[in-house]
Each structure stands twice: as C-alpha cells, then as structure tokens.
C-alpha cells in the first residue's frame, strides 16, 4: 500500500487548504495519473484535477509531486513511490489554486499572448505553403514541441519573486517566432523581449529545463533569444550591458571585475541607476565586502585571450 | 505478420494489423495467455531506433517501463480514430440528411466531423486532412457565415436556465450505481463485442448491455455536488454522451451486414457494394435510433479488393 498525501482545497467548503491521505495498491504498470483516477473513481469523486489525453501530448495533467512539477500521465507511479512510501501531490506553483490540483491558468495564457505567438510574415500569404529548409526548421524544432503544460512556469525561481516575469514557457514560445526564417519582426520581437520581465530577468537556474517534459528546454531557448538580441544590436538595457560587461571583463583579465560590472550594467551615464547602487555599495563597504579597488588579471590571462581569439575566428 | 500480410508485414494498414493481433490473442497465443502480443523492434538496433523512433521508445519507457531497444513492447489493438462523426459537407457545414441540407450556423471539423473523405477506414497520416485542409476550410466558412448575419434574438436568461437545468438534473440524482462501474462495463462490452471482430449475436448482446447501462446511468451516485470546477459532473455528462455514441456505433454495425475498412463482421466477411456502398445517417427518434442511407460519391479511386 502506497500513501498518496494530497493537498485538498475547496473554497465552497473551507477557505484554507489541507492535506488528506489516501491508501492505494499501485497496479503494475500504472502511471501516476492512473492512480489519481483510481482515487477519484473509487475513493473520492470530488478529488479534482485536469486531465485529457493520457499520452503526454495535451499538457493538462501537470501537477507537483514531492515538490517538483511533472506530467502525471508520463511517469510510472512505482518509479515515484519507492517501497510503498508516501508521495505528496500538490497543485502547480506560481499559479492560484481553484480547487484541489486545479490552478487558474489565466496569467500563464496572458503571458503567452504577450509574446505574439503567431507568425508575422513579410509578404501576403502565398497560394501554397511557405517553405523552410530542414536547417531553418531545426532552429524552431525544439521550441515547437512545447505542450504548454505549465511545469516550467510552476517551478520557475524568478516567477516566485517577480510575477511580472514572462516565464520560461512564454519565452520558449517567443523563440519559436524569433528563430523563424519566415518571420519579419525579429528586431521588434527581441526589443520587446529585452524589456523588464523579459529574457534578461531569467536567473539561469535551469530549473525549467529539469521540469520540461518535452525537448523544448525553455532556458536553452532563452539563451538563443539573448544571442539574437545582441546580434541585432539591442544592447541598450541593463541585461545586455551586464552580459557584455561580464564578457569583456573575462576577455581582458580572465576573471570578473566586480566593481566595474554593476556600473557598466547600469550604464555609465545612467545617474539614477548608479545612485540606486549606492546603498548596496555602502553596506558592502561597511561589512568589508568590497572587492579590491585595483583589479588584477589572472596569471594565465594570455591563455584566456588566446581562447577568445580562436572563438572570434 | 507473414500469415496475414506477407508483402507489407507490420506496415500493413492498421485494421489488418489489428485483426492479425486479435486473431493471435483469440487463438490463445497472447503473452502468458493475456490480451497482448509482443512488438519486437530489437533487430533495428539502438542507432536506428534512436534516429528514427526516439519518441516511440520514450513512450514505452514512460508508460510501460519497457525499453524497446532491449525488450519487446507488449501491445494490443485499440481505437485509433473515430470513423464517421458529425456529417458535414466540404465547407465544414453540418448537414442533416442525404441531400446535404445544411444546418444553419452549425460547423464541425477535426475528429468529431465526418466530411466523407476517409470512407470505412482512416489510414495513417491522413489525419493531416482534418488539421490542415478542413481546419482552414472551416475557419473560412465560419468567417463568411458570421460576417453575413446578425446576432439572433437569444434570451440569455432562458438559455442559462436550460443549461443549469441539465446540471440540476444530475445533482438531483439520488441513486447508488457507481459511474466508474458503468464506464468500465461500457468499455469492456464495446471492446469484446463491438471491437475488432463483430457478428450479429455479439452486437445484439452489446446493444442490450448498453440499454441496461443507460438505465443504470440514470440512477447513478453523485458524490460531488459543488459548483466550483466540478470534474465529476462533466465526467458523468461525458459518460452519458459516450453511451449514446456507443449505441449509435453498435446499431449501425448491426445493420451493416458486410465487412468494410475497420468494420469487420465475421458472419459477413466480404464487402458488399450492392447493398452497403453508402453512409449510415443515424437519427434519434422517440422510439429509438433510425438509420438512413446517404450515397457515397466516388470520383477517382474505385473501391478494390485489398491484398497485401
């Protein structure tokens, strides 16, 4: 007997969520969703969650199991609940619960809509289809596999502290069109995506890649947009300046000049931005955390320069 | 598959492969006597499987815990597509009779629709027709229709009351029958009596069983009477719809005394163009289902004997 500890929530009955335990013999070969269905159909009909295809393609049944988002239909229950122990099921994170494991996806869809998830082609539609070479298609193949299940959105660390962040799913969807050879709005797209809440607010933790049930790997897609943004010359923002400053510091000295990076990131002429750094700087100064004023190169700096030179070619 | 389709083997059309699988199981040659057989991909080798079938391999690992590079996949026949559906013309407009009379303002596209292009079998990758061709045609038809009409005189209160009454009817049920049992029994009878192999006796038993399930359905036990995201109530309504569709499928299968595409009658194993080269149009009358015929329009490809 395995124990399914489920976070229950029904605002019609009581305002606070609570945990309820169900005991179940996991049938051989059953997925986690099969077990949830058994609980619903034989133990408690009011247990609520979304599901549809049972084949990991509709993206409806994403939930949190033992703290991490996954597709319930895609995982063998026995792999998740070793030795008949307890598994905790909760609704996806970063979205408001409606009932039990069902969350309100509206903010998620609003952000998907914000990145204009449709082709904006150069010319009027041709008689037949617009062709792409296999190489061109490969650039958008991975992001096309997103099933918008919300697993990445749930476990995104940036979203936890900044609800204005577009989130991994919307940014992966954005790459689907930034990288599309038939699209005409690449520059406008990367400009909009470089605004606050966009690509540069990602903390590079990689959690979205861990949670993605498909090859979409949102963080990899975010990096691709960053590259396009820099190539398109969209550099007049803190994120891009930070990346450039980071790059230049390593190129020059082999390590980070931690006094210079925050200043260069803000922009040397951004007085207001620079002033906003002062309190942090002062606190660091009084705690003795300010890096050495004179920045030294590492001993093997010539090797680093050689690597950069080779990369340039 | 050498016995069943020597020239195409496992790549024969799905209905033929499904019948081959079922025949082996019926002959008692299923794995451990169970309703499954083995699909062996091991001869393809790891490199070819990883290059050509990576998703298939992942499906086996995720859903069954079986890696087809080193093990055989246990398989069995299943419904791959709903042949037939809401009848439409080629502009995705729903039609109500054999003359193609349009039902005003009602459009259908995709797997729910029957544009009458697939016939008795929908072969692999022809699903693209639904997505790419008729999806677009439906969109254009709806746009054309919507720009030419005004909002009708809808009485919002009345419509709301009509829908809420449907919910209330379910909420009011005070029975003891388990909807889970009804659903399981429906699935069981449809698979065993209206599945890969059909005959008159089986189909009659199937229809009787479904009638019994319909009666029990009205006396089901409702456990969640809440109004917030109640998934139980939509599953109940969905089950009601499935029972209706199951009745339609079994009744039409009983009437069609021939074998064609995915529909295989062991008591009538041959195709009979003289009597059955037509679509079945099913109508719900007060005293049961009524079936009428709609002729099939054949242009380029005449039906022919299928040998593989």
């Amino acid at each position: 007997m395995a124990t399914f500890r489920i976070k229950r929530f029904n605002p019609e009955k009581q305002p606070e969520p609570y945990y309820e335990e169900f005991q179940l013999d996991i049938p051989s070969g059953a997925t986690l969703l099969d077990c949830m269905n058994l609980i619903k159909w034989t133990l408690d009909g009011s247990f609520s969650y979304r599901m549809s295809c049972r084949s990991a393609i509709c993206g409806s049944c994403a939930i949190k199991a033992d703290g991490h988002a996954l597709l319930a239909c895609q995982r063998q229950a026995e792999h998740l609940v070793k030795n008949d122990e307890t598994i905790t099921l909760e609704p996806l994170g970063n979205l408001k619960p409606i009932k039990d494991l069902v969350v309100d996806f509206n903010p998620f869809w609003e952000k998907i809509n914000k990145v204009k998830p449709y082709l904006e082609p150069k010319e009027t539609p041709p008689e037949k289809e617009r062709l792409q070479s296999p190489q061109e298609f490969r650039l958008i193949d991975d992001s096309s596999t997103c099933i918008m299940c919300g697993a990445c959105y749930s476990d995104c660390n940036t979203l936890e502290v900044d609800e204005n962040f577009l989130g991994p799913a919307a940014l992966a969807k954005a790459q689907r069109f930034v990288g599309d050879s038939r699209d005409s709005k690449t520059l406008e797209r990367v400009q909009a995506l470089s605004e606050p809440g966009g690509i540069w607010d990602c903390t590079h933790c990689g959690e979205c890649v861990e949670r993605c049930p498909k090859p979409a790997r949102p963080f990899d897609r975010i990096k691709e947009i960053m590259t396009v943004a820099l190539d398109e010359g969209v550099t007049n923002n803190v994120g891009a300046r930070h990346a450039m400053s980071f790059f230049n510091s390593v190129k020059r000295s082999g390590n980070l000049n931690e006094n210079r990076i925050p200043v260069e990131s803000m922009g040397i002429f951004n007085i207001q931005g620079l002033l906003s750094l002062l309190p942090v700087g002062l606190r660091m100064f009084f705690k003795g955390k300010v890096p050495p004023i004179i920045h030294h190169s590492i001993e093997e700096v010539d090797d680093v320069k050689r690597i950069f030179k080779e990369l340039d070619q | 598959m050498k016995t069943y389709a020597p020239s195409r083997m496992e790549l024969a059309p799905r209905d033929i492969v499904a019948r081959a699988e079922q025949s082996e199981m019926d002959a008692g040659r299923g794995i451990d006597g169970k309703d499954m057989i083995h699909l062996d991909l091991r001869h393809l080798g790891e490199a070819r499987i990883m290059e050509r079938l990576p998703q298939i391999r992942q499906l086996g690992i995720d859903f069954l815990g079986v890696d087809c590079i080193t093990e055989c996949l246990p398989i069995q026949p299943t419904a791959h597509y709903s042949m037939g559906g809401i009848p439409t013309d080629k502009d995705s407009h729903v039609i109500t009779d054999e003359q193609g009379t349009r039902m005003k303002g009602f459009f259908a596209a995709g797997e729910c629709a029957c544009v009458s292009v697939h016939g008795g079998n929908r072969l692999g990758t022809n699903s693209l027709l639904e997505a790419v061709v008729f999806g677009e045609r439906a969109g254009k038809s709806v746009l054309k229709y919507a720009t030419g009409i005004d909002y009708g005189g809808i009485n919002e209160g009345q419509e709301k009351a009509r829908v809420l009454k449907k919910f209330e009817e379910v909420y009011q049920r005070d029975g003891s029958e388990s909807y889970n049992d009804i659903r399981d029994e429906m699935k069981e009878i449809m698979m065993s009596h209206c599945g890969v192999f059909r005959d008159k006796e089986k189909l009659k038993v199937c229809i009787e069983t479904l009638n019994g399930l319909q009666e029990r359905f009205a006396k089901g036990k409702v456990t969640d009477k809440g109004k917030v995201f109640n998934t139980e109530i939509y599953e109940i309504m969905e089950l009601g719809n499935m029972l209706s569709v199951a009745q339609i499928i079994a009744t039409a299968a009983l009437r069609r005394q021939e074998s064609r595409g995915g529909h295989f009658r062991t008591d009538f194993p041959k195709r009979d163009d003289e009597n059955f080269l037509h679509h079945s149009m099913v109508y719900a009358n007060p005293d049961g289902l009524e079936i009428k015929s709609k002729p099939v329009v054949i242009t380029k490809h005449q039906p022919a004997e299928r040998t593989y």
Side-chain angles (χ1 to χ4, degrees):
Chain A
M1 279 276 186
T3 303
F4 291 77
R5 184 169 164 268
I6 299 174
K7 192 170 189 180
R8 305 295 306 265
F9 173 58
N10 184 354
E12 284 182 306
K13 293 207 167 139
Q14 67 174 74
E16 292 304 317
Y18 60 96
Y19 287 88
E20 188 176 356
E21 292 190 352
F22 295 93
Q23 311 286 329
L24 196 72
D25 267 326
I26 299 174
S28 151
T31 61
L32 177 58
L33 180 62
D34 291 333
C35 295
M36 287 157 59
N37 284 337
L38 274 175
I39 292 170
K40 180 175 180 63
W41 293 341
T42 62
L43 300 173
D44 183 348
S46 71
F47 174 35
S48 305
Y49 46 89
R50 286 194 180 94
M51 64 125 178
S52 183
C53 77
R54 297 165 296 152
S55 325
I57 198 65
C58 78
S60 301
C61 67
I63 58 161
K64 262 189 183 180
D66 283 341
H68 297 297
L70 48 73
L71 287 183
C73 73
Q74 203 186 21
R75 304 290 280 274
Q76 289 281 299
E78 276 177 351
H79 295 175
L80 295 165
V81 200
K82 300 241 163 65
N83 311 321
D84 283 351
E85 284 167 359
T86 300
I87 183 166
T88 302
L89 307 183
E90 293 165 314
L92 291 180
N94 293 327
L95 291 163
K96 242 169 74 187
I98 296 174
K99 184 182 177 190
D100 293 343
L101 306 185
V102 181
V103 295
D104 178 8
F105 257 72
N106 277 326
F108 177 90
W109 297 122
E110 278 163 20
K111 287 172 182 178
I112 296 276
N113 283 335
K114 264 192 189 166
V115 305
K116 299 191 176 173
Y118 41 83
L119 196 67
E120 298 191 84
K122 296 172 190 76
E123 67 289 317
T124 47
E127 186 80 359
K128 287 188 175 172
E129 68 267 43
R130 294 182 180 86
L131 291 179
Q132 274 200 308
S133 69
Q135 288 80 6
E136 285 169 334
F137 175 66
R138 218 160 285 148
L139 298 174
I140 56 170
D141 190 5
D142 286 338
S143 48
S144 305
T145 64
C146 170
I147 55 173
M148 299 198 258
C149 63
C152 60
Y153 194 95
S154 161
D155 288 19
C156 173
N157 285 306
T158 305
L159 275 167
E160 213 163 294
V161 293
D162 178 10
E163 61 177 15
N164 290 320
F165 182 47
L166 282 167
L171 291 173
K173 183 55 74 187
Q175 191 276 330
R176 157 72 186 76
F177 295 96
V178 166
D180 194 312
S181 60
R182 301 160 297 185
D183 196 82
S184 66
K185 301 279 194 216
T186 313
L187 178 63
E188 288 89 333
R189 286 181 191 275
V190 291
Q191 277 169 342
L193 292 165
S194 299
E195 296 287 315
I199 43 175
W200 301 109
D201 283 358
C202 166
T203 62
H204 303 206
C205 71
E207 194 70 17
C208 54
V209 174
E210 293 291 313
R211 302 300 150 223
C212 181
K214 293 282 158 183
R217 302 173 63 92
F219 176 46
D220 291 356
R221 308 288 82 79
I222 293 171
K223 281 188 286 188
E224 284 164 4
I225 304 175
M226 288 171 171
T227 310
V228 176
L230 296 179
D231 286 350
E232 292 276 340
V234 185
T235 51
N236 189 21
N237 58 71
V238 177
R241 280 194 295 264
H242 182 76
M244 299 303 289
S245 174
F246 215 97
F247 174 87
N248 288 329
S249 177
V250 174
K251 189 178 179 179
R252 268 194 301 264
S253 62
N255 64 2
L256 297 181
N257 183 338
E258 292 184 63
N259 290 321
R260 198 163 170 164
I261 285 177
V263 175
E264 286 187 351
S265 299
M266 273 303 162
I268 304 167
F269 303 109
N270 180 357
I271 306 299
Q272 205 184 349
L274 291 174
L275 284 174
S276 74
L277 292 174
L278 260 182
V280 185
L282 283 174
R283 277 205 303 277
M284 285 171 74
F285 177 78
F286 288 121
K287 299 267 182 196
K289 301 259 183 192
V290 173
I293 302 297
I294 299 163
H295 182 70
H296 294 286
S297 297
I298 59 168
E299 276 176 27
E300 302 88 348
V301 67
D302 287 341
D303 284 342
V304 173
K305 283 182 178 161
R306 186 176 49 77
I307 292 169
F308 271 86
K309 207 173 161 191
E310 274 186 29
L311 282 174
D312 272 346
Q313 292 159 1
Chain B
M1 284 301 297
K2 262 187 200 136
T3 331
Y4 300 95
S7 71
R8 297 283 290 275
M9 301 290 282
E10 281 81 0
L11 295 177
R14 281 188 264 215
D15 61 312
I16 291 173
V17 177
R19 282 198 287 280
E21 291 170 11
Q22 193 64 50
S23 301
E24 290 298 305
M25 292 174 210
D26 291 348
R29 290 192 285 269
I31 306 163
D32 305 329
K34 285 193 227 152
D35 271 355
M36 47 181 166
I37 57 160
H38 271 151
L39 175 64
D40 192 354
L41 297 176
R42 290 173 300 179
H43 62 286
L44 296 175
E46 181 172 354
R48 204 164 156 78
I49 288 175
M50 289 309 290
E51 186 208 333
R52 304 294 283 274
L53 303 164
Q55 288 180 330
I56 300 282
R57 173 176 175 256
Q58 198 59 45
L59 284 178
I61 292 171
D62 292 340
F63 298 132
L64 288 165
V66 174
D67 185 348
C68 67
I69 290 174
T70 52
E71 295 164 274
C72 292
L73 283 166
I75 58 165
Q76 60 183 184
T78 181
H80 74 83
Y81 177 83
S82 301
M83 262 85 77
I86 305 168
T88 73
D89 57 24
K90 64 184 192 315
D91 297 314
S92 301
H93 217 130
V94 174
I95 54 172
T96 58
D97 57 25
E98 60 276 22
Q99 275 95 44
T101 309
R102 287 176 162 185
M103 188 165 181
K104 208 180 150 198
F106 188 13
F107 298 83
E111 188 149 346
C112 71
C114 175
V115 202
S116 303
V117 287
H118 300 306
N121 204 0
R122 200 274 284 152
L123 300 178
T125 64
N126 278 355
S127 51
L128 285 173
L129 269 180
E130 314 288 356
V132 180
V133 178
F134 293 107
E136 184 182 342
R137 293 186 74 95
K140 285 180 175 166
S141 297
V142 171
L143 178 66
K144 199 173 149 202
Y145 175 81
T147 45
I149 53 149
D150 224 340
Y151 284 107
I154 291 173
N155 183 334
E156 199 186 320
Q158 206 177 323
E159 289 302 311
K160 228 174 175 174
R162 191 177 60 84
V163 175
L164 288 176
K165 208 180 134 198
K166 276 192 171 176
F167 281 87
E168 261 331 297
E169 189 270 313
V170 180
Y171 284 132
Q172 297 294 326
R173 282 181 202 174
D174 196 18
S176 55
E177 291 284 352
S178 149
Y179 283 113
N180 187 45
D181 291 349
I182 298 173
R183 182 172 37 235
D184 280 349
E185 286 172 46
M186 175 192 68
K187 283 152 76 174
E188 187 59 44
I189 196 78
M190 287 303 284
M191 196 68 200
S192 61
H193 285 62
C194 193
V196 178
F197 290 116
R198 302 159 166 180
D199 66 37
K200 187 179 167 186
E201 288 316 309
K202 275 185 173 178
L203 289 167
K204 280 191 164 169
V205 172
C206 181
I207 291 168
E208 276 166 34
T209 309
L210 290 170
N211 286 337
L213 292 176
Q214 286 278 18
E215 281 170 29
R216 284 164 61 192
F217 176 75
K219 292 180 278 187
K221 187 172 174 239
V222 184
T223 57
D224 188 354
K225 304 200 173 179
K227 302 237 157 59
V228 175
F229 217 97
N230 188 331
T231 51
E232 188 185 62
I233 198 164
Y234 85 58
E235 282 185 1
I236 292 172
M237 290 181 164
E238 185 182 60
L239 176 60
N241 293 339
M242 285 197 279
L243 284 168
S244 303
V245 174
Q247 279 283 17
I248 291 170
I249 292 170
T251 308
L254 179 65
R255 176 174 168 275
R256 189 173 280 275
Q257 296 178 339
E258 63 154 356
S259 292
R260 181 185 297 275
H263 167 71
F264 194 89
R265 289 277 300 255
T266 48
D267 45 354
F268 298 97
K270 290 266 176 233
R271 202 180 71 231
D272 179 358
D273 285 347
E274 204 174 303
N275 294 308
F276 294 104
L277 185 58
H278 60 238
H279 294 286
S280 307
M281 300 280 278
V282 187
Y283 297 84
N285 287 339
D287 49 341
L289 297 177
E290 186 197 344
I291 303 183
K292 292 182 190 167
S293 307
K294 176 175 158 263
V296 175
V297 182
I298 298 171
T299 51
K300 208 169 170 185
H301 301 287
Q302 291 295 326
E305 185 89 27
R306 295 160 72 213
T307 48
Y308 298 98

